[in-house]
Amino acid sequence: MTDAPPPPAATRTGMGAALRQDSALQHATGAARFTDDLPEPPGTLHAALALSPVAHGRLAPLDLAPARAVPGVVAVLGPAEVPGRNDISPSGKALEKLFAEGLVEHWGQPLALVVAATRDAALAGAAALRPEIAPLPPILSIEAALETGALLMPPQVIERGGWQAALEAAPLQLAGEFRCGGQEHFYLEGQITLAVPGEDGDITLHASTQHPTEVQHIASRVLGCDYNRVTVQCRRMGGGFGGKESNASWIAAAAALAARATGRPVKLRLSRKADMAATGKRHPFLFRWRAGCDAEGRLLALDATLAADGGHSLDLSAGVIFRAVTHALNAYDVPALRVTGLACKTNTVSNTAFRGFGGPQGALLMEDVLFSMARATGRPVDELRERNFAGGPNGAETPYGQKLEGELIRRVWAEARQGADWERRRAAAEAFNAAHPTLRRGLGGFALAFGISFGIMAMNQAGALVHVYTDGSIRLNHGGTEMGQGLFIKIAQVVAEVFGVEVERIRITATSTAEVPNTAPTAASTGSDLNGWAAHQAAGAIRARMAGIAATAWGVPEEEVIFADGHVSAGNHRMRFGELAQLCWAQRVSLSATGFYRTPDIHWDPVAMRGHPFFYFSYGAALAEVLVDTLTGEYRVLRADLVQDCGRSLNPAIDRGQIEGAFLQGQGWLTCEELWWDADGRLRTLGPSTYKIPGSREMPAEFNLRLLADAPARANTIFRSKAVGEPPLLLATCVWNALRDAVGGARLDLPATPERVLAALRAGGA
Amino acid sequence: MAGMSSRIALTLNGQPRTLPADTPPGMTLLDWLRGPAPRGAGLTGTKEGCAEGDCGACTVVIEAADGARTPVNACLALLGQMHGRALRTVEGLVAADGAPHPVQRAMAENDATQCGFCTPGIVMSAWAHSRCGGAAHEALAGNLCRCTGYRPILGVFAALEDDGAPAAPAPALEGGSEFAVPGQVFHAPATLEAALTLRAAHPEAWLLAGGTDLGLRVSEHRERPARILSLGAVPELAETRLAPGLLTVGAALPYARLLDLLARAPEMAPLAAHLRRLGSRQIRGLGTLGGNLGTASPIGDTLPPLLALGVRVVLGSARAGERVLDLAEFITGYRQTALAADEIILRVEIPRPPEGAVFACEKLSKRHDQDISAVAAGFLLRLEGGVVAEARLAFGGMAATVARAPRAEAALAGQPVTEEAFARAAQALAEDFAPLSDWRAGAEYRLHSAQGLLRRLHWRIARPDLALEVQA
């Protein structure tokens, strides 16, 4: 690793090339195999989960006989059939059960697994079970949990300055409350694992997972075996978005249990409804805040509580709260403050990772504060936004002690405004609103600073395994998983760059715990940062050995050996990359290497809630214009203009896809995607017919994007690129702000469905 | 019976196939396609994303002899319905030498695929669209993508070119068919007489038109009906007639073909636009007016406009011949109709709005496309000299059945077209309906937005120059 800027790209297809996703053509022809498309081994059985029909209650030991009586059923497995531990906790800090025992804590909680010759028989078996549950009153809202003090973990509090005194002394004092909803991942491919038993206790799990290592650990825990008996493999997922982080692990563990119990391959594929009932979602949040500012709208003090609905168990809520409180100020500076993050316990499915991981929720806070301040001071929101950006005349240090780059915040914001022709369009919108009897236009902006690294320091590590074969072809494996985000092609580009060969020479292979062990999940936007460096290390180690052989053969110094254009050269000497590989083999030099990377310069004190938890920040800004029907609350996003900082992009085509897709996914969370539980705690939006993710028409009618130019990462990231998976999801917050502008600034809870927009219009008298 | 087919015959990716006699006719097309050979087709390119006809990952295309391409959801279509059809899946677009189809290449080269799970379905929608044309959003409404944000996909759709490929020939059909396996019989009669006889003999049978509602019970709820009476092969039930003043539509005519007919009746443009928001092209390729009437859902999209227009429903039975009911008489309660156990809905008679009448259709939902309405409405106003002579205001989503709003109608009758008159009608709506709250919308929104629709109606008449809808 060096701080020097990288050399110009060594090949057409190396770093910075706009290559397509590695399987794009196979996707389009139907040839790409997802887990459910793998040929089923002879004798494969199928499994189905039995789920709790009650949100909260005392569960009598389940009578498994009715399911066993269903024709085709081979085995029925409940807590008593678990040979290891009935515990799927990803953190290991709480007992979280695979199958409920004694108590059910949410509607849709797994009770048992039915294994049968066919999937329909398994489903019929699961439906035949009649759990006896004595209902208890469920806690179904954040408010109810707060009233009873039902928390999953102690509060996480970040404090700075004398916030209480500053609040009391502030010339203007404001307060607010609002809420945002959860979000179903709606990966198009539902959760699935095919478990194939081998000899002597071995088992292979073909799992659709973002975290093969955790699948290995949890399956081993449930089976009561050493990790080395369980091999987890994943070539690709049909979408993940955080939903196949911890949730994939217990589904794979259940399939492993069934394979162990029957001695036969078992496929567990959740139906869409079961998937939506039994797997966690993005955390809904309730926000309550008080703020003080001066007459010009400079914030002086803030006291905010961010209360998340964690669902019934801990899962990954600690990390979600961490990211919410560390992103609660987003790109802004408040000199004195207290931010309190709470993980409330409710009788709903345990909420989990979802792209942004609490960050998107946390970053909503300041938007609400800015709107309230705009009302109180009579100043435009965007003026207040600029006045309170971190850096410049304001403090640049986050309340937990890490510095933001104020000039980048201002740069992305200014570029977005300029590209969007913002001032002219605001005037045009005002003229339109004055003239039209029923429609209103609204404009909204947003600026972002998003910290990159896992909140759990130990997770910031990665491994890779690279082989060079004697024909010069290369096999690449690393701990990252491919869920459509283009990680595999990016890492292949890194390796192509190191060896100076075209990317077609590199074979991308399925993620496997047998090839690269002890990996972190592919999450927190870190996939290319971590695995890119790990692969770079592995490839670099081999290249150094190869350079040594070439140098000796040619009698030149090693550092003069250049790898480019599929050749290796030094002065007048030149040979094909494959020829050198053959020469290395003949000279008995290893052409295989592992690579390892740990993110430098990060630390965190969870007691003081201070440190340097992020390797760097990713910046972005966005502006949206909406058209709202004041009669019905219907709306449409007319235009969005995005500027996103990707550092020096590894692959601009992939990054663009990530940004646009994240934006629309964020817009869905904030607008049309609504999870609706009935009074008994049953989720009633259980499929795409009732849970509405954006369709093509929801895309902004005009959708402009640019990657921030000439902005190599200052941190020593792989080729000075920056992460891109999550940050742009938050840019969609500008759509919320635009809607809020259109409804006259009134409180607008999320998701801002037409229903809530109409209610806000009526409340605001706009 | 002479000429009766007892095995399902179809063309798959250009190859004629006659399925083994023990193939369950009531299984979904998707389960058959993905199932391992020899019981299934062993083609796993077509994906299951939701099993409820909403995500489009299972989209395949029916090729008609005239070259038309109809995308359908393989998860909702029952295998028996595919008898006599030519089908194409994503694998069938790849040339014999393995070369991807230009549509497939375009999807890959435009970065229109990320995770790839929705991609095969989108490829098939694109391939159908390249021939059928129309609006790209409409062509994509039945396909969800969670990764890309759609821009690159829309780019592909905007640049499609028809490959000019002729349709693969479908197997020739002679007469009706009856597919029987232990525990299941699938009847597909080819004459109305045979259909009525079967209906009388088997009143318990599932009466299957397009199957976009009943198909869910197989696909999602995994039901295995003992007997299915499919109406898709009865020519009389797909007949249409466009007469002055009256449009007659066979009950089993798919919406896609109904739209072709409506294109010839300009005063029906609001209904056509409304139908383009009903489901998706995939749903409209199979779904029928008769099916929507038969389920009598209070949130069925077609019912409010039909009620406003005053349609008549023609029922038939072997016992009593035909009888004609007003739509309001036909629908008797929440998902209940006057259809007798031996009757079949034959056709719908739709009075065409007279010249000068104001006809409008409305639908409110969380998402514009492929969503079930929170509130739907059909409005028909007869104006005489600037005064409302008659108002027919029908709403869905406001009560246990689709219903007219008598107090609001009365408030408008005899009034000039003014903002105040429509505001009073909107007020009266609160006495007509006490809607329920559910996941689609709360009671308050249903009422307030329905009132908003009446106020929008005023602006439609008063300011025809103005765009009044956010999607306009």
Side-chain angles (χ1 to χ4, degrees):
Chain A
M1 271 176 268
T2 160
D3 276 320
T11 64
R12 185 175 51 83
T13 55
M15 85 144 243
L19 306 186
R20 66 179 76 125
Q21 208 271 1
D22 73 278
S23 301
L25 199 55
Q26 289 87 336
H27 293 162
T29 59
R33 282 180 180 171
F34 295 83
T35 303
D36 197 37
D37 304 334
L38 299 173
E40 291 170 6
T44 296
L45 301 173
H46 298 265
L49 290 165
L51 304 177
S52 172
V54 169
H56 192 201
R58 301 258 162 234
L59 171 69
L62 194 59
D63 176 12
L64 306 180
R68 289 188 173 127
V70 170
V73 169
V74 174
V76 186
L77 309 167
E81 283 68 40
V82 173
R85 282 159 53 199
N86 183 24
D87 180 7
I88 55 165
S89 167
S91 66
K93 290 180 178 160
L95 175 62
E96 299 177 53
K97 289 175 178 169
L98 173 59
F99 301 125
E101 266 180 296
L103 188 68
V104 292
E105 294 198 279
H106 77 94
W107 178 86
Q109 188 172 0
L111 305 177
L113 187 73
V114 179
V115 193
T118 65
R119 188 162 175 270
D120 280 345
L123 289 164
L129 291 170
R130 291 285 172 267
E132 286 177 39
I133 301 170
L136 295 168
I139 294 177
L140 296 172
S141 69
I142 295 172
E143 286 90 339
L146 290 175
E147 275 169 30
T148 55
L151 298 179
L152 291 163
M153 56 176 292
Q156 296 184 42
V157 184
I158 294 179
E159 282 185 82
R160 177 166 72 184
W163 60 270
Q164 220 152 1
L167 203 54
E168 280 160 22
L172 271 174
Q173 294 176 14
L174 309 164
E177 175 177 316
F178 70 101
R179 60 177 59 252
C180 69
Q183 186 177 25
E184 160 64 33
H185 302 84
F186 210 86
Y187 26 65
L188 263 286
E189 176 210 36
Q191 302 272 1
I192 180 167
T193 290
L194 172 65
V196 182
E199 62 179 46
D200 191 23
D202 284 348
I203 190 162
T204 301
L205 302 177
H206 300 275
S208 181
T209 175
Q210 294 173 241
H211 199 348
T213 290
E214 188 185 87
V215 167
Q216 179 191 38
H217 292 182
I218 291 183
S220 301
R221 193 194 293 162
V222 167
L223 295 180
C225 69
D226 286 347
Y227 293 167
N228 63 13
R229 299 302 175 94
V230 178
T231 300
V232 182
Q233 197 163 318
C234 178
R235 174 60 182 84
R236 63 174 62 80
M237 283 165 271
F241 317 115
K244 292 174 182 168
E245 198 176 331
S246 63
N247 277 278
S249 301
W250 67 261
I251 284 153
L257 173 67
R260 174 62 49 87
T262 60
R264 288 166 66 178
V266 175
K267 185 188 281 187
L268 173 57
R269 172 170 74 83
L270 267 54
S271 70
R272 180 58 62 179
K273 279 195 165 159
D275 195 311
M276 291 184 73
T279 69
K281 302 164 200 324
R282 186 188 292 286
H283 291 60
F285 272 65
L286 173 69
F287 301 79
R288 287 174 176 157
W289 59 266
R290 290 185 298 149
C293 66
D294 65 20
E296 278 74 46
R298 169 69 183 128
L299 276 161
L300 303 171
L302 175 69
D303 179 25
T305 299
L306 284 61
D309 182 346
H312 77 101
S313 72
L314 188 61
D315 188 69
L316 305 175
S317 291
V320 169
I321 301 298
F322 163 80
R323 196 163 275 277
V325 296
T326 51
H327 286 72
L329 286 195
N330 183 17
Y332 302 94
D333 173 60
V334 184
L337 82 160
R338 178 176 70 171
V339 176
T340 305
L342 304 173
C344 297
K345 176 173 170 145
T346 65
N347 292 112
T348 59
V349 65
S350 189
N351 287 316
T352 191
F354 195 136
R355 202 175 195 173
F357 204 63
Q361 296 96 317
L364 296 175
L365 173 69
M366 289 303 293
E367 303 305 312
D368 195 54
V369 173
L370 290 170
F371 264 94
S372 290
M373 207 161 40
R375 278 197 151 182
T377 62
R379 291 169 188 276
V381 172
D382 288 341
E383 179 191 318
L384 303 180
R385 189 181 296 288
E386 291 169 4
R387 181 155 302 147
N388 288 284
F389 277 148
N394 302 325
E397 195 170 284
T398 62
Y400 50 88
Q402 183 164 2
K403 277 208 161 45
L404 294 171
E405 291 148 282
E407 72 284 5
L408 271 180
I409 297 170
R410 286 165 178 78
R411 190 178 154 206
V412 291
W413 175 247
E415 287 196 15
R417 278 174 67 96
Q418 196 178 356
D421 197 7
W422 199 232
E423 293 307 325
R424 187 193 61 74
R425 281 169 55 213
R426 183 164 286 285
E430 279 166 18
F432 175 88
N433 291 347
H436 201 287
T438 60
L439 301 183
R440 293 277 180 280
R441 289 191 182 179
L443 282 78
F446 180 74
L448 171 70
F450 192 86
I452 303 297
S453 288
F454 283 106
I456 295 172
M457 297 299 118
M459 287 164 77
N460 295 291
Q461 59 171 304
L465 176 63
V466 174
H467 306 320
V468 174
Y469 295 101
T470 52
D471 62 351
S473 66
I474 298 160
R475 186 180 194 279
L476 167 63
N477 199 275
H478 54 80
T481 55
E482 179 62 49
M483 59 198 98
Q485 84 280 39
L487 176 67
F488 280 12
I489 190 67
K490 278 186 168 179
I491 307 302
Q493 285 176 267
V494 168
V495 173
E497 187 71 28
V498 171
F499 286 123
V501 299
E502 299 301 338
V503 77
E504 291 79 4
R505 294 295 278 163
I506 295 162
R507 186 64 183 165
I508 290 169
T509 55
T511 316
S512 169
T513 55
E515 299 203 43
V516 174
N518 310 325
T519 53
T522 306
S525 308
T526 61
S528 52
D529 282 13
L530 296 177
N531 296 289
W533 266 132
H536 189 278
Q537 295 296 94
I542 300 171
R543 186 182 66 173
R545 291 177 213 149
M546 295 176 79
I549 295 299
T552 306
W554 293 333
V556 299
E558 257 184 63
E559 55 273 19
E560 284 181 20
V561 178
I562 293 167
F563 291 72
D565 298 324
H567 287 75
V568 185
S569 58
N572 293 328
H573 305 286
R574 183 172 164 90
M575 71 171 90
R576 286 197 311 277
F577 179 78
E579 287 178 287
L580 179 57
Q582 176 70 32
L583 183 61
C584 288
W585 176 81
Q587 308 231 355
R588 294 182 292 172
V589 168
S590 167
L591 289 171
S592 175
T594 59
F596 184 78
Y597 174 73
R598 63 194 293 273
T599 310
D601 306 328
I602 51 172
H603 53 88
W604 180 248
D605 178 343
V607 178
M609 293 294 280
R610 285 186 66 81
H612 191 279
F614 303 118
F615 190 30
Y616 62 89
F617 286 87
S618 163
Y619 300 91
L623 303 161
E625 179 168 0
V626 298
L627 181 64
V628 172
D629 187 334
T630 60
L631 299 176
T632 61
E634 295 165 288
Y635 53 81
R636 179 185 187 201
V637 182
L638 297 176
R639 175 169 167 179
D641 293 81
L642 280 56
V643 173
Q644 178 65 44
D645 164 24
C646 295
R648 186 183 282 133
S649 172
L650 283 175
N651 181 327
I654 294 288
D655 284 355
R656 179 174 191 176
Q658 284 294 291
I659 295 165
E660 291 174 345
F663 183 89
L664 200 64
Q665 198 171 74
Q667 182 185 318
W669 167 53
L670 296 166
T671 58
C672 52
E673 296 184 35
E674 185 172 35
L675 294 160
W676 198 89
W677 284 266
D678 67 17
D680 297 322
R682 291 178 297 189
L683 181 62
R684 303 301 295 270
T685 45
L686 273 180
S689 61
T690 47
Y691 182 78
K692 310 310 286 189
I693 70 168
S696 70
R697 207 183 297 263
E698 276 57 55
M699 185 189 84
E702 185 180 343
F703 199 6
N704 301 315
L705 161 66
R706 60 176 141 160
L707 308 189
L708 192 67
D710 303 320
R714 285 176 201 170
N716 187 19
T717 58
I718 184 75
F719 295 121
R720 301 288 165 174
S721 63
K722 280 191 175 183
V724 71
E726 297 168 292
L729 184 134
L730 287 79
L731 296 183
T733 309
C734 67
V735 173
W736 182 40
N737 290 341
L739 288 169
R740 199 152 175 192
D741 181 50
V743 303
R747 171 173 170 171
L748 180 59
D749 282 353
L750 299 164
T753 55
E755 176 166 10
R756 289 202 180 84
V757 169
L758 187 63
L761 280 162
R762 294 174 64 94
Chain B
M1 232 179 283
M4 183 75 78
S5 308
S6 60
R7 290 170 69 185
I8 298 169
L10 50 77
T11 299
L12 179 63
N13 296 330
Q15 302 298 315
R17 306 271 296 251
T18 301
L19 307 190
D22 61 355
T23 308
M27 77 189 297
T28 68
L29 172 60
L30 179 63
D31 284 345
W32 179 74
L33 282 174
R34 289 185 55 83
R39 302 274 302 170
L43 297 177
T44 55
T46 309
K47 310 299 182 197
E48 178 182 317
C50 70
E52 56 180 45
D54 213 281
C55 78
C58 67
T59 302
V60 300
V61 171
I62 296 175
E63 299 177 80
D66 63 2
R69 294 172 181 165
T70 305
V72 300
N73 297 115
C75 74
L76 294 182
L78 302 188
L79 196 51
Q81 283 176 282
M82 295 299 113
H83 177 59
R85 309 255 204 185
L87 296 172
R88 197 161 293 270
T89 69
V90 70
E91 293 92 346
L93 290 188
V94 178
D97 65 357
H101 189 277
V103 170
Q104 294 170 317
R105 205 169 273 292
M107 286 292 291
E109 289 172 358
N110 282 278
D111 300 307
T113 166
Q114 288 186 19
C115 86
F117 202 81
C118 72
T119 309
I122 290 179
V123 164
M124 296 317 290
S125 285
W127 186 65
H129 184 61
S130 71
R131 176 147 302 171
C132 309
H137 282 309
E138 190 187 314
L140 251 182
N143 293 90
L144 296 175
C145 167
R146 191 53 152 166
C147 295
T148 63
Y150 299 102
R151 183 201 51 81
I153 301 172
L154 287 165
V156 170
F157 274 56
L160 288 172
E161 283 178 30
D162 190 341
D163 59 11
L173 289 189
E174 287 171 28
S177 42
E178 183 177 308
F179 314 117
V181 295
Q184 189 167 65
V185 185
F186 187 103
H187 303 277
T191 65
L192 182 58
E193 188 189 353
L196 293 173
T197 305
L198 284 163
R199 174 70 167 149
H202 306 291
E204 82 295 349
W206 281 17
L207 205 51
L208 187 74
T212 53
D213 194 53
L214 281 177
L216 269 179
R217 291 173 57 178
V218 178
S219 182
E220 195 168 43
H221 305 289
R222 311 307 296 177
E223 291 184 44
R224 198 169 189 275
R227 196 177 294 274
I228 296 166
L229 174 51
S230 170
L231 304 175
V234 180
E236 293 92 330
L237 297 178
E239 284 173 359
T240 60
R241 201 169 67 245
L242 187 63
L246 193 71
L247 182 65
T248 307
V249 179
L253 182 79
Y255 292 117
R257 288 174 57 199
L258 174 57
L259 279 167
D260 296 340
L261 179 70
L262 292 180
R264 290 161 46 208
E267 77 287 354
M268 289 296 207
L271 181 62
H274 190 68
L275 289 183
R276 288 182 197 284
R277 286 182 66 191
L278 183 151
S280 59
R281 280 192 179 166
Q282 289 91 321
I283 294 293
R284 296 193 295 272
L286 291 174
T288 67
L289 216 46
N292 214 230
L293 288 166
T295 58
S297 163
I299 46 176
D301 275 347
T302 65
L303 302 185
L306 297 185
L307 194 58
L309 291 169
V311 308
R312 291 175 297 276
V313 184
V314 182
L315 312 177
S317 66
R319 162 185 53 87
E322 292 189 1
R323 62 177 177 135
V324 183
L325 296 180
D326 279 341
L327 179 54
E329 301 171 285
F330 174 74
I331 293 171
T332 56
Y334 176 74
R335 287 186 167 267
Q336 289 182 337
T337 71
L339 192 71
D342 64 347
E343 276 180 322
I344 289 172
I345 306 171
L346 303 182
R347 60 185 179 273
V348 184
E349 296 177 349
I350 307 175
R352 302 172 67 175
E355 200 162 326
V358 174
F359 175 46
C361 301
E362 302 278 11
K363 172 173 174 170
L364 300 175
S365 50
K366 283 180 201 163
R367 191 174 69 201
H368 186 81
D369 291 308
Q370 174 84 324
D371 198 356
I372 293 165
S373 54
V375 175
F379 303 138
L380 184 66
L381 298 190
R382 202 157 49 75
L383 300 177
E384 281 171 10
V387 168
V388 178
E390 187 194 4
R392 293 175 64 94
L393 312 174
F395 288 88
M398 300 292 287
T401 67
V402 170
R404 285 172 62 184
R407 291 176 187 81
E409 288 179 356
L412 275 185
Q415 298 295 314
V417 177
T418 62
E419 210 174 343
E420 295 70 33
F422 281 78
R424 279 195 298 276
Q427 280 302 318
L429 210 56
E431 295 162 39
D432 281 320
F433 296 116
L436 294 177
S437 289
D438 67 10
W439 49 91
R440 293 201 173 85
E444 211 168 79
Y445 177 71
R446 285 194 156 109
L447 180 60
H448 291 157
S449 64
Q451 291 174 323
L453 293 177
L454 280 183
R455 292 166 59 197
R456 186 149 90 186
L457 180 60
H458 159 258
W459 291 109
R460 284 187 195 284
I461 303 166
R463 293 291 303 275
D465 58 310
L466 275 186
L468 289 165
E469 291 161 50
V470 295
Q471 293 292 344

